[in-house]
Each structure stands twice: as structure tokens, then as C-alpha cells.
Amino acid sequence: MKRGINIELADRVRNLPPYLFAEIDRLKQEALKNGADIIDLSIGDPDIPTPQHVIKELHTASLKPANHRYPSYIGMLPFRQAVSDWYKRRFNVTLDPNNQVLTLIGSKEGIGHIPLAFINPGDVVLVPSPGYPVYAVATSFAGGEVYEMPLTAKNNYLPDFNIIPQYILTRAKLMFLNYPNNPTSAIATRKFYEDAIEFAGRHNIIICHDAAYSEIYFDNKKPLSFLEIKGAFEVGVEFHSLSKTINMTGWRIGFAVGNSDILAGLGKIKTNLDSGVFQAIQEAGIAALNTPDDKLNEIRMKYQKRRDVLYAGLSQISALKPLKPHATFYLWTSIPKGMTSMDATKLLLNEAGVLTTPGSGFGQSGEGYIRFALTVSQDRLKEAVTKIKKVKWLV
Ligand SMILES: *Cc1c(COP(=O)(O)O)cnc(C)c1O
């Protein structure tokens, strides 16, 4: 007699794109097992600990019984107020904490859920390529169709709205943008945001701007908030995270700000799925948002020095054409023509013991590139450069 049941995954899971990072992880594990010293530059997770003042606040806040109960769905008012105060200080943008700020369980949670609020089957979502993979997966989970907007060197890694066909535009409901950009490290100009807002208004498209890296910038060039631009509040929202800004990836706290109707739509999804962020973490989040500038500058300087080491080193390798990062902790470089990004990744892993991320993992337009993360020490980056210089790029 047959025992048990047939366990079959739903189509939305079976149709997920092949997870190429699983293959890379397998290769890495194999190399480690053979005793290789791997310098892992594939990780988008800060190696620097969360600052002490944030940890202390979590400790104090965790002792309060009021914080042990269900939190408010949209986030506690003092946290939303602290977000509003930070926005005023940082961007000179005024946010009403009552309806223009929504607390998230990390920005990935909000990005992953927002298509459920606005996308019907057959609707199109415009997604940058290369881009953070969650935009496309969240779209398909909601039954939407992904249209990849290529980010190319020729356009300074900004999408060209003029090449999107009319039949796509009539079905497009939502667009993801992300600057400073993962994986390319590109930053957007004021003119670009103005064009995006005009384009969104003309075609009735919601803009979701992912600003996870707004505070990881170099050479004192502060990135803009999308909400600083005239008309932004009418068409969109911006996602932020404490993860990258202040080394809190493990804590799971972020927020969305901007258009109150769009935030209310996302809020409807969330109230039916989750119950908010542990209040003690929100109180620690307030401390994080009030981190003195000196401390943030210290974090930026650390990444900037690493950027200098890696960029200078890779620039001397004729097979590579690295883009100098002005923000994020990533470095994006083209590889020799005729080689796939997976080939290049394997070559660097096998011959230099350096693990990078193949551009094809971020969408079709990422092919021909690889991404390095600046999440290891300067010394390790120097070592990586020395080893990469010895690689023979036969193609
Ligand atoms: C890391 C990252 C996020 C998610 O960060 P959270 O930890 O979920 O807040 C969102 N967008 C991009 C582009 C990222 O690289």
C-alpha cells in the first residue's frame, strides 16, 4: 500500500528561476573542503558589528513588559517620529509620521509584499536588470509579469524609459528603481528622478524606490532621496533599511515612506500576514537613527578605504574594466568578451581563491559582469588583488 501523500510544490515555487547562488555555494564548500583559503567577496552583509549604543538600547528596551506584547502593525509612533525627524535632518523632507511612514521587518519584507497590494495577474512590473532579485520574484508571486529595464554602461546604469514598448506601458502598474544601485554601485541624478516621476505620472505607474544604500556613500557625495524631487509624493514610495546603514542586517528593521495611499495598500497586506516588529528592536532602531555623524562617517571611511584598495588593484588588470563606486559596498566590473559571468566566477574561485558574484544572477543584463563586495578587511582585499593579478584570463 502506498504510504503518505504526494508533496507537490505550487507552480509559483516550481517556476522560480534557477538559484545559481546554490551552485556557487557548492563550489565554495568543495574548495573549503580541499583546504583552500577562500576570500569571500560575494557577501552583501557588513562584517562590522552593530554599534554599542544600539545594542545597549535593545537591552534596556527588552526589559520592559509593555514591549513583550504584540506591537502596533504600522510601527510604534516614537519610531515613526524618529524616521520623520531623520528624514528632515538628512534630506530636508517633511513626513507625517501618522500616515507617511510604515515600519517594516527589514526592507526586503516590504519590497517582497508590495506587488501583492497593487498587481493583478497579467499586470506588468518594470524591474531594473541587473537588479536585486526580490523585485522579480515578488512580482511573479503576485501573478504579475516582469519587464526587465536594462541598466547599461552607455546610460550610466540608469534605465532608458524611451525604449519600453507601448504594449508594455499600457499594462505596467509598478516600477522598481534602486539608487545607489546594487549591484552596479551607480547613483542617480536629480534629472533622472525628475524624468522618472514625469514618466510614472504619464503612464499611471507606481514608483517603488529602494534606497537601502543611501547612507553608504563616498567622497562626501550624499545621494538624494527620491522624495526630495517635486511630484515624488504623488507617484511613489521609498524603501529604507537600517541593515546596511548601521550594520543591522540581523535585526530585521526597515521602513517605507512617501505616498500615504500606497503605504496604506502595503499596510493592508502586512496586517493580514505579520504582526509588526518587536518593539524593543524599534526602540533600538530609534537609537540607530540618532547615531552621531562621526560614527556613520567612520563606517563610510572604512568602506571608502577598501574601495580605494580594490578599485586601484583591479584597474591594473587589463581583462577587467571596473566601475569606480561612489556609493554602496559593491564594485561592478566587466569581464573579457566571450566569457560568461559564471565562467569568470569559477575561474577566480579556482585560480585565485576569490569568490565573487556572477552578474547573470541579477538578470539578463548582468551577463558579462561580476560583482565584488567590500565586506572584508583592507588586508584581505590586498591579498585578493595580488592573487587575481596572477590569473591567466584565457578566453
Ligand atoms: C540588502 C538589500 C535590501 C534588503 O535589506 P533588509 O535587510 O531587508 O532591510 C534591499 N534592497 C537592496 C538593493 C539590498 O541590497
Side-chain angles (χ1 to χ4, degrees):
M1 198 181 81
K2 183 178 165 297
R3 299 184 56 162
I5 54 167
N6 282 328
I7 296 174
E8 266 180 34
L9 291 170
D11 294 346
R12 78 175 63 79
V13 178
R14 282 194 300 116
N15 295 341
L16 281 170
Y19 195 58
L20 120 152
F21 301 114
E23 160 78 349
I24 294 163
D25 197 53
R26 194 185 58 77
L27 295 172
K28 177 188 170 187
Q29 295 311 328
E30 204 173 278
L32 287 173
K33 211 170 65 204
N34 296 333
D37 172 27
I38 304 295
I39 305 177
D40 192 347
L41 305 184
S42 72
I43 302 179
D45 188 355
D47 59 319
I48 314 165
T50 306
Q52 281 299 319
H53 70 281
V54 179
I55 299 171
K56 286 205 183 98
E57 188 59 38
L58 172 67
H59 182 240
T60 311
S62 71
L63 298 171
K64 297 182 199 164
N67 285 344
H68 301 165
R69 311 193 65 190
Y70 279 123
S72 127
Y73 285 113
I74 59 172
M76 61 200 293
L77 184 59
F79 179 76
R80 288 180 283 124
Q81 182 66 53
V83 168
S84 167
D85 295 344
W86 176 73
Y87 242 76
K88 187 76 192 166
R89 287 198 306 278
R90 169 67 176 84
F91 301 113
N92 197 25
V93 168
T94 305
L95 295 172
D96 182 345
N98 293 304
N99 59 11
Q100 293 179 321
V101 181
L102 179 65
T103 307
L104 300 172
I105 311 169
S107 61
K108 182 180 187 178
E109 179 265 303
I111 292 165
H113 282 146
I114 202 162
L116 290 176
F118 299 103
I119 296 304
N120 285 315
D123 290 343
V124 169
V125 177
L126 308 176
V127 166
S129 171
Y132 183 55
V134 182
Y135 310 139
V137 171
T139 298
S140 71
F141 279 179
E145 227 171 87
V146 172
Y147 177 84
E148 293 194 9
M149 301 184 290
L151 308 184
T152 62
K154 190 171 69 96
N155 286 329
N156 298 313
Y157 301 97
L158 300 168
D160 179 357
F161 302 127
N162 295 319
I163 63 170
I164 304 174
Q166 189 57 41
Y167 74 95
I168 292 293
L169 292 176
T170 55
R171 290 196 288 140
K173 275 245 188 92
L174 192 147
M175 167 165 74
F176 283 104
L177 294 173
N178 164 223
Y179 295 98
N181 184 258
N182 174 12
T184 68
S185 85
I187 47 181
T189 56
R190 182 174 288 273
K191 171 79 167 65
F192 171 76
Y193 288 126
E194 287 168 356
D195 291 350
I197 290 166
E198 190 276 325
F199 168 78
R202 194 150 34 95
H203 298 286
N204 216 41
I205 295 170
I206 292 171
I207 295 182
C208 294
H209 183 242
D210 179 354
Y213 296 93
S214 70
E215 304 316 299
I216 311 286
Y217 57 82
F218 308 132
D219 314 312
N220 272 322
K221 285 188 198 153
K222 290 189 185 183
L224 294 169
S225 161
F226 157 73
L227 296 178
E228 286 179 57
I229 317 300
K230 193 161 167 280
F233 276 89
E234 274 88 79
V235 300
V237 292
E238 185 159 81
F239 290 90
H240 281 267
S241 169
L242 295 174
S243 290
K244 315 294 164 59
T245 303
I246 190 120
N247 310 325
M248 292 176 71
T249 47
W251 297 57
R252 311 317 302 138
I253 182 163
F255 48 93
V257 291
N259 183 285
S260 56
D261 293 333
I262 301 173
L263 294 178
L266 173 57
K268 277 232 163 67
I269 299 295
K270 285 175 57 57
T271 46
N272 284 283
L273 287 176
D274 69 62
S275 300
V277 174
F278 180 30
Q279 290 201 156
I281 289 182
Q282 294 188 61
E283 289 194 27
I286 296 171
L289 286 165
N290 292 321
T291 299
D293 282 344
D294 299 0
K295 180 71 202 171
L296 292 174
N297 281 328
E298 185 188 309
I299 296 171
R300 285 178 199 118
M301 279 314 292
K302 192 170 238 171
Y303 289 127
Q304 185 170 321
K305 285 182 187 151
R306 293 175 181 180
R307 185 264 329 244
D308 291 342
V309 165
L310 189 65
Y311 178 71
L314 297 181
S315 297
Q316 293 167 4
I317 299 170
S318 62
L320 304 177
K321 299 267 174 305
L323 180 71
K324 185 174 186 180
H326 295 292
T328 77
F329 44 57
Y330 303 112
L331 188 151
W332 187 242
T333 178
S334 63
I335 52 175
K337 288 225 163 23
M339 192 178 228
T340 68
S341 58
M342 195 66 181
D343 290 340
T345 301
K346 287 180 183 168
L347 183 75
L348 289 181
L349 179 64
N350 294 333
E351 306 220 351
V354 174
L355 188 59
T356 57
T357 309
S360 57
F362 300 103
Q364 284 174 29
S365 300
E367 188 48 275
Y369 292 82
I370 53 174
R371 187 193 76 177
F372 290 79
L374 302 171
T375 49
V376 305
S377 71
Q378 265 190 80
D379 285 346
R380 283 294 261 177
L381 286 172
K382 280 182 190 154
E383 215 182 313
V385 167
T386 307
K387 289 177 166 174
I388 296 170
K389 280 183 176 165
K390 292 180 186 147
V391 173
K392 291 182 192 62
W393 294 81
L394 296 175
V395 287

